[in-house]
Amino acid sequence: MTVKVSVVVPVYNPGVYVEDCIASLLGQSLPPDAYEVIFVDDGSTDDTPARLDALAATDPRVSVVHQANSGWSGKPRNVGIAAARGEYVMFVDNDDHLGDEALERMYDYGVANGADVVVGKMAGKGRAVPVELFRRNHPRATVADTPLIDSLTPHKMFRRAFLDDIGLRFPEGRRRLEDHVFVTEAYLRGSNVSVLSDYVCYYHVRRDDASNAGFQRFDPGGYFKNLREALDVVERYTEPGPLRDRLLRRWLRVEMVERMRGRRFLALPADYRRELFEEIHQVVVERFGPGVAAGLQPTQQVVAALIAADRYDDIEAFAGWEAGIALTAVPEHVAWEDSTLRVGFSAEYTAAGEPMTFAVAADSARTSLDGPPGDLAAALAWVGEDTVARFGKATADLLLRERSSAAQYFQPLEFTREEVPAGDDGRVRLVLRATAAVDPATLTLGGVWDAVVRVKLGGWTKECRLGPAPREDRPAPHAGVVAGHVVLPYWTAPQANLALDVDRATHRVGLGAVTPHDVTASGARLRALLPLHAPHHGTDASLRLTSSGTTHDVPATLSPQGSGALLEATLPLADLRGTTWRTALGTPGPRFLTLPFALRAGAGGVQVVRTSRPHPLRRLLRRARRRLGTALGRTAARLRARARARKE
């Protein structure tokens, strides 16, 4: 079979972090003879070279190239391109990993859309990744109509013939931002770029020791010298005008203005802050015309104007004010509506822990920032007026973020904007009220999903967890058996933030509250009222009966009944007589939820009795033993895997 994808992995002293990368590459859904993995060892001094050589000796998909250390990732990636046989080349870093179907999905998507570049959805595990770019799929995207420029890391799939036709390779040597230069040129010269957003393809991982290259403090002089090379690419392949300004704005916003804001800036050592500011000031004055900063958000415009005017002290003062601004999101209702979980909340910004208030000008028209503000007070006044004037464009979103993988998805949502009076001086609070519709059918991964609110308001885009929920009127919906999942909405402790437990909370769904009075057995017909939510059309389930090693799984149904769900099943009476049977609810999956009652079947019919519950301390000990056993089992499995790998 023709090689469809060549995966190129530059490697330098990754230690154990390469294991997840290897596992994800060898576990791809693409047929084994349809892809290859090329590890380019850039002079590693740990035991990684031997580990990779042993792997290559046993797996025909894997090859290893060894070379002297080059100082950065550009040369190893170029060596990988030269060795690649695939139609597409995918770049992966040695401490990151792929989704199981990433190569297959990205390749098929690229071929279907004739793409020179395929951008797969990213999840950041301790690292920032683009959000807006992955709101939806973009089969045909350009830098003019899609925020491609927000994603400049190399972790994408590139058509090999395209790279060869235009002679595109990574800059080499000890340098920064070589990926910016490469990816920007690919975007600007490619015939089509496709963005796949409905599946997490790439997991961008921060190491526990934070030793990833991107987290190391850089030399400002060298960094911004390399940054200018990316700006050169934009100027080489675009004409002066709005598009060029928009593209250049990405570097002004992300690499310069955002480094000068709030807590991020103030956390740096004072001498390094000053050095960073001076280098940024030079680039801003040298390379950016007025049209670049004009499209920034208002707070960013203030910072950019102060940078251009060489006003370092005012940058520090403005950062001090911004450091106290945060987003709060208060849950207002969480309730099931048929097969959908409706989540309502309000969100607004706070300053120094109190709701932000804004003056309402007689003329609400937005005024442009004409040069740098005279002082901090003038800057704050302009930002406030501009925020009120632009309130009609403020947006709110609810994302569900899977806790272990960091995969996240936007939920359908409706919202309104409300100016709330804040005292007698005419000031107002700017509040967004929203209701999201969560469809459990879209939560294809099990696990715990945190509810995250994202708001764009004025000059800020901020996120926060949804909560805390006030204890006195905290919503408490039942677990739902919906769309093939058992979904438990719950409030975390002690923060009281909203989370959804999907297909894992077998012991926390509230079934312990069921009593024998909630269960009736008439002849062979069993009916039990359970504290669960079921959709109006009902759902298929099963009733598991267990006694002395014998098990019967009886077909059952769950249907809405009052505030809960009615479980109905027909019992096989002839098979049950003469003993006591413990019960469990079988839900889609299959998963079984223990029920707190047992059945005794005799000549006089079926009797419902409550099962004994272990003492709380005993339950705690059992839980601790289970967790310890699971942890030890996982550790042992990892050690055995590493031992086998070394033998190979």
Side-chain angles (χ1 to χ4, degrees), residues 191-215:
S191 61
N192 182 43
V193 180
S194 295
V195 181
L196 179 65
S197 301
D198 56 9
Y199 179 81
V200 177
C201 299
Y202 197 93
Y203 292 89
H204 205 22
V205 181
R206 177 173 181 164
R207 293 187 185 183
D208 295 336
D209 59 4
S211 61
N212 310 74
F215 287 97

Side-chain angles (χ1 to χ4, degrees), residues 344-394:
F345 62 90
S346 62
E348 65 180 313
Y349 285 124
T350 61
E354 298 294 329
M356 286 188 74
T357 63
F358 301 84
V360 179
D363 180 5
S364 59
R366 184 186 178 211
T367 59
S368 60
L369 184 65
D370 234 358
D375 54 25
L376 180 62
L380 302 189
W382 182 79
V383 167
E385 292 172 3
D386 191 90
T387 300
V388 173
R390 291 157 50 95
F391 187 41
K393 296 183 178 180

Side-chain angles (χ1 to χ4, degrees), residues 20 23 109 140 216 283 297 339 342 366 432 434 444 530 546:
D20 285 344
Y109 197 64
R140 302 195 63 82
Q216 307 310 304
V283 179
Q297 297 296 320
S339 298
R342 307 281 291 183
R366 184 186 178 211
L432 292 160
T444 55
L530 306 180
T546 306

Side-chain angles (χ1 to χ4, degrees), residues 44-344:
S44 294
T45 57
D46 62 5
D47 61 358
T48 302
R51 167 76 176 100
L52 297 178
D53 286 341
L55 180 64
T58 59
D59 195 316
R61 291 172 292 182
V62 177
S63 61
V64 184
V65 179
H66 298 284
Q67 64 180 32
N69 182 254
S70 65
W72 208 250
S73 298
K75 183 175 181 180
R77 292 193 185 111
N78 289 340
V79 169
I81 295 173
R85 297 178 294 129
E87 182 182 350
Y88 281 86
V89 179
M90 174 81 189
F91 298 104
V92 176
D93 283 349
N94 60 195
D95 34 28
D96 297 334
H97 59 271
L98 300 180
D100 293 343
E101 302 173 19
L103 297 184
E104 182 177 14
R105 286 177 180 250
M106 292 178 71
Y107 174 82
D108 289 346
Y109 197 64
V111 170
N113 294 293
D116 288 328
V117 185
V118 184
V119 184
K121 182 182 179 74
M122 301 179 72
K125 301 182 73 172
R127 305 194 68 161
V129 297
V131 176
E132 292 299 327
L133 176 61
F134 301 122
R135 186 180 285 271
R136 61 179 180 84
N137 286 343
H138 301 274
R140 302 195 63 82
T142 70
V143 293
D145 59 22
T146 309
L148 288 172
I149 204 67
D150 288 348
S151 181
L152 294 180
T153 64
H155 314 120
K156 300 165 177 62
M157 197 175 278
F158 300 84
R159 191 165 60 84
R160 169 65 191 274
F162 162 67
L163 298 180
D164 290 344
D165 288 346
I166 68 172
L168 182 59
R169 295 296 187 268
F170 288 90
E172 297 183 4
R174 294 184 178 274
R175 49 164 298 119
R176 295 272 186 165
L177 304 179
E178 81 292 340
D179 47 357
H180 286 205
V181 174
F182 181 93
V183 175
T184 300
E185 184 167 344
Y187 284 161
L188 292 174
R189 301 185 69 185
S191 61
N192 182 43
V193 180
S194 295
V195 181
L196 179 65
S197 301
D198 56 9
Y199 179 81
V200 177
C201 299
Y202 197 93
Y203 292 89
H204 205 22
V205 181
R206 177 173 181 164
R207 293 187 185 183
D208 295 336
D209 59 4
S211 61
N212 310 74
F215 287 97
Q216 307 310 304
R217 187 172 297 167
F218 56 78
D219 165 56
Y223 187 89
F224 289 102
K225 176 183 177 182
N226 294 152
L227 183 145
R228 287 176 172 88
E229 297 174 19
L231 305 183
D232 291 341
V233 171
V234 173
E235 294 178 353
R236 185 179 306 127
Y237 295 108
T238 64
E239 296 295 328
L243 176 60
R244 176 185 288 184
D245 287 346
R246 187 195 313 169
L247 298 180
L248 295 178
R249 190 174 301 135
R250 183 266 174 216
W251 283 274
L252 174 60
R253 182 184 77 247
V254 177
E255 305 294 342
M256 303 178 196
V257 167
E258 289 302 314
R259 295 185 187 278
M260 300 278 105
R261 293 182 70 183
R263 295 178 182 176
R264 179 183 182 183
F265 180 58
L266 298 177
L268 298 172
D271 57 343
Y272 186 73
R273 290 203 302 263
R274 175 71 73 169
E275 182 182 4
L276 195 62
F277 173 83
E278 290 173 354
E279 291 293 337
I280 288 175
H281 167 70
Q282 291 181 23
V283 179
V284 169
V285 172
E286 169 192 323
R287 301 298 295 262
F288 299 134
V292 179
L296 293 172
Q297 297 296 320
T299 48
Q300 295 168 339
Q301 287 189 45
V302 169
V303 174
L306 294 175
I307 292 171
D310 200 15
R311 286 167 51 180
Y312 176 82
D313 291 341
D314 288 332
I315 287 281
E316 280 195 336
F318 194 76
W321 173 69
E322 279 203 289
I325 297 174
L327 174 66
T328 61
V330 179
E332 296 184 341
H333 66 269
V334 180
W336 289 103
E337 291 185 9
D338 199 17
S339 298
T340 300
L341 185 69
R342 307 281 291 183
V343 180

